[in-house]
Amino acid sequence: LDHPHQGLADALTVRRRIGRQRSKVVVSWTPHVKPLPLAVPHAAVVAFAHEGHEVVVAHPEGFELDEGVMADAVRIADDAGGSVRMSSDREEALDGARVVYAKSWGSRGSYGKEAEGRARIERHGDWMIDASAMAATDSAVFLHRLPVRRGVVVSDDVLVSDASVVIDQAAARLDVQKAGIYGLDFSPDGKLLLTATDQGRSHLIDLTDGSIRLSLPPEGPVGRPFNNAVFDGSGERIAI
C-alpha cells in the first residue's frame, strides 16, 4: 500500500521546481494496459499532504484509493495547512493545477478479476494526459514515476515538453535513498535524526517532527561528521 522513497522523491521534485508555497497538486488516474498497484499514488498523496499542498486525486468512479490511506492523508494535510480531496470530474480537478502527476492504478473492486479490471480501464481511455488536459492547468509541471507507456498514459507532446520533469523526478529517487541510508542516528534525547545534504548545505533533520536541527553552508562540516553527534544552532558540537 505504500512506496515511501517514491513519495519522498515526488515531493522533493515539486519542491525543487515550484518551491514550498501551497499549490494545487493533482494526482490523476490514467489508463493502462493492465491494472497496477496502488502503492505509488498512495505514497504521492501522503507526501504532498505533508508538504501542505491542495491535493486533488482525480479518477473515474470505481477507482478510489484506500479509505484508510486517504483518511491519514486528510489528517496530515490538515495539520500542514493543506487539503486532500477526491474528484471524478477531471476538468474541474485540473483547473488551476500547478502540478499534474499521472499514475495508473487498478480498481480495488476488480482485484483478482483480471478481465473485469481490464474492461474497467478500457472504458476510460479519455483520461490520458495530453496537451488539452495540460492546457486546463496553471502552467503545471508534469510528473510520472517512469517507465511510462506513451500514447496510453501520456501523449508524446506532453512527455517531451518543457513542462515534463520526469527525468528530474527519477534522479530525485537517488537523492532521497542516499539520504535515507547515509546518516540515521539517535540523539541523546531519543530523537531519530537524519543527515542530508542539498546543494552543498548539510542538514540535520529531526524525523520525529520534520524540523531541521541545523543547516550549515558548504564551508561547514557536511555529511558523515554529523553522525553520532548533535549540534546546536551555532554549529557547536554539544553531544556525542
Side-chain angles (χ1 to χ4, degrees):
L1 289 177
D2 196 8
H3 200 325
H5 279 135
Q6 186 62 54
L8 288 170
D10 299 337
L12 179 60
T13 302
V14 171
R15 186 186 296 185
R16 286 172 168 172
R17 276 306 179 111
I18 67 174
R20 304 191 69 167
Q21 71 271 22
R22 184 174 185 260
S23 302
K24 187 176 185 180
V25 177
V26 177
V27 178
S28 179
W29 181 93
T30 51
H32 200 273
V33 298
K34 62 181 180 180
L36 295 178
L38 283 68
V40 170
H42 282 165
V45 171
V46 171
F48 295 141
H50 273 292
E51 292 285 279
H53 291 304
E54 176 191 352
V55 185
V56 182
V57 184
H59 59 79
E61 292 185 5
F63 288 87
E64 293 77 13
L65 296 179
D66 179 80
E67 293 90 344
V69 173
M70 290 300 295
D72 286 344
V74 168
R75 174 183 51 79
I76 291 166
D78 286 344
D79 291 343
S83 62
V84 172
R85 64 182 176 89
M86 293 182 289
S87 175
S88 58
D89 184 341
R90 192 177 75 153
E91 183 177 350
E92 179 276 329
L94 292 173
D95 183 35
R98 295 293 313 283
V99 177
V100 174
Y101 190 161
K103 185 66 188 79
S104 308
W105 65 85
S107 169
R108 291 185 297 127
S110 299
Y111 183 78
K113 306 171 185 176
E114 185 173 349
E116 179 181 319
R118 290 179 185 272
R120 279 179 179 261
I121 291 172
E122 290 169 0
R123 288 198 293 268
H124 302 290
D126 57 342
W127 278 70
M128 180 181 73
I129 299 297
D130 57 14
S132 63
M134 294 298 289
T137 71
D138 182 13
S139 301
V141 295
F142 173 80
L143 278 73
H144 186 278
R145 187 189 67 88
L146 298 184
V148 64
R149 290 183 180 265
R150 293 170 177 250
V152 178
V153 173
V154 58
S155 61
D156 282 347
D157 54 349
V158 172
L159 185 63
V160 300
S161 70
D162 291 339
S164 177
V165 295
V166 296
I167 301 301
D168 293 340
Q169 184 183 359
R173 272 288 297 275
L174 179 61
D175 293 338
V176 300
Q177 287 177 212
K178 287 193 298 184
I181 65 175
Y182 194 68
L184 286 174
D185 283 300
F186 285 95
S187 68
D189 58 355
K191 300 284 189 178
L192 181 61
L193 306 178
L194 168 66
T195 300
T197 58
D198 179 31
Q199 298 180 350
R201 297 185 66 89
S202 191
H203 308 288
L204 194 63
I205 303 170
D206 184 343
L207 293 185
T208 57
D209 60 12
S211 64
I212 295 180
R213 287 282 192 96
L214 175 66
S215 181
L216 292 177
E219 61 268 23
V222 296
R224 285 296 181 182
F226 276 162
N227 277 10
N228 303 313
V230 177
F231 292 78
D232 66 13
S234 68
E236 292 295 320
R237 184 182 297 230
I238 58 175
I240 300 294

